[in-house]
Amino acid sequence: MIDALRVFEDDAEMIRQAAAEVARLAARAAARRGRFSVALAGGHTPKPLYEALARDHRDAIPWDLVHVFWGDERFVPHDDPRSNFRMAREALLSRVPIPSDQIHPMPTEGLSPGEAARDYEKTLRRHFEGSWPRLDLALLGLGADGHTASLFPGAPALHERRRWVAEALAPDEPRQRLTLTFPVFNHAGHVHFIAGGAGKAEALRCALDPEARPERCPAAGIRPAHGNRVWWLDRAIVRSLPG
Ligand code: 6PG
């Protein structure tokens, strides 16, 4: 596996180039395979990227061939301000002509977390043939503690090798989460992290360390078997790398 670090002084330039790369991957997958399947990241960092995709690439991306999934979700209603689905809907999905039946949010109401995880796995299995889903692109954020998606240090979900979706408990509210598991992310064709700020430098260091233990640094466990990891980073996080 190869790590490609793309470091930018200017956040706007990072977002511009990251959006262009996502659009390129989407157009290439659609041309080659007739569809583009992407798992979106939550949190705050990716929101400008989603807004740039809607603003600058609305006409370039073949939205009729795009299927959107989520890498993780807070177990709150979809209209809750903390919902990853709501953030992506407001920043991107409500602004582009993607068919509504190609938007696949994680279920967060009317089911227990365990039922919701099983239900989402069924959704993924309906979309992907084969023993593991092959996302064309997984977008991921990075927490200061080394978590990514809702794979948190010490969590049982880190050891999941059979299920595609697992329940998770975050240290912060809303604690209940759902997350794709390592095998799903590691079968993706491309994994792109986007992270910034000095506070995440140690998390980046451990994520890049081939000796790091995913138990302590979950982002280090994202190692796509047939792909590479691309890191979209600001100068602050890189400048603060220890050592
Ligand atoms: C979430 C994300 C989570 C996020 C990191 C970074 O649901 O919050 O999936 O993994 O990517 O916590 O969050 P920020 O981008 O807000 O710093």
Side-chain angles (χ1 to χ4, degrees):
M1 183 198 73
I2 303 164
D3 274 310
L5 277 66
R6 295 177 184 167
V7 185
F8 298 83
E9 287 290 349
D10 175 77
D11 284 356
E13 179 61 12
M14 175 173 77
I15 292 300
R16 192 187 68 75
Q17 293 205 28
E21 177 69 3
V22 172
R24 187 184 69 80
L25 291 172
R28 191 174 69 173
R32 287 182 176 178
R33 287 185 294 281
R35 71 183 191 185
F36 174 66
S37 302
V38 56
L40 297 182
H44 299 95
T45 305
K47 186 174 181 181
L49 170 58
Y50 301 160
E51 289 167 340
L53 287 171
R55 182 185 64 244
D56 304 335
H57 300 281
R58 186 181 191 284
D59 299 331
I61 293 175
W63 297 102
D64 60 323
L65 301 177
V66 175
H67 284 258
V68 172
F69 300 89
W70 272 259
D72 74 319
E73 185 54 279
R74 293 88 177 275
F75 205 69
V76 295
H78 286 158
D79 58 1
D80 188 298
R82 303 166 296 177
S83 164
N84 289 337
F85 167 75
R86 171 171 162 169
M87 184 273 277
R89 181 179 58 195
E90 289 175 349
L92 172 60
L93 302 173
S94 60
R95 305 177 183 185
V96 295
I98 182 171
S100 59
D101 64 353
Q102 295 177 199
I103 300 173
H104 310 283
M106 289 183 165
T108 58
E109 293 184 272
L111 294 169
S112 71
E115 290 166 340
R118 286 188 292 277
D119 183 77
Y120 203 60
E121 180 163 332
K122 287 176 188 167
T123 297
L124 290 166
R125 285 184 184 279
R126 279 195 298 272
H127 183 73
F128 294 101
E129 300 82 27
S131 54
W132 287 104
R134 183 170 165 71
L135 289 161
D136 294 300
L137 173 62
L139 290 172
L140 285 167
L142 180 67
D145 62 355
H147 83 260
T148 190
S150 284
L151 296 166
F152 293 96
L158 299 178
H159 305 290
E160 187 57 62
R161 294 295 178 270
R162 186 179 48 81
R163 293 168 65 194
W164 296 13
V165 188
E167 313 94 282
L169 276 181
D172 305 319
E173 290 299 333
R175 297 205 60 207
Q176 188 64 62
R177 311 282 179 100
L178 297 175
T179 188
L180 300 185
T181 55
F182 277 137
V184 175
F185 287 121
N186 289 334
H187 279 84
H190 299 270
V191 174
H192 285 220
F193 282 88
I194 181 165
K200 296 184 180 181
E202 172 52 26
L204 177 61
R205 185 205 59 75
C206 75
L208 296 174
D209 178 356
E211 305 300 319
R213 293 176 52 236
E215 178 76 14
R216 293 186 55 239
C217 182
I222 302 290
R223 306 180 63 78
H226 303 292
N228 55 20
R229 290 185 312 192
V230 178
W231 297 84
W232 299 91
L233 305 166
D234 69 11
R235 179 67 63 191
I237 193 173
V238 171
R239 188 184 297 121
S240 307
L241 275 172

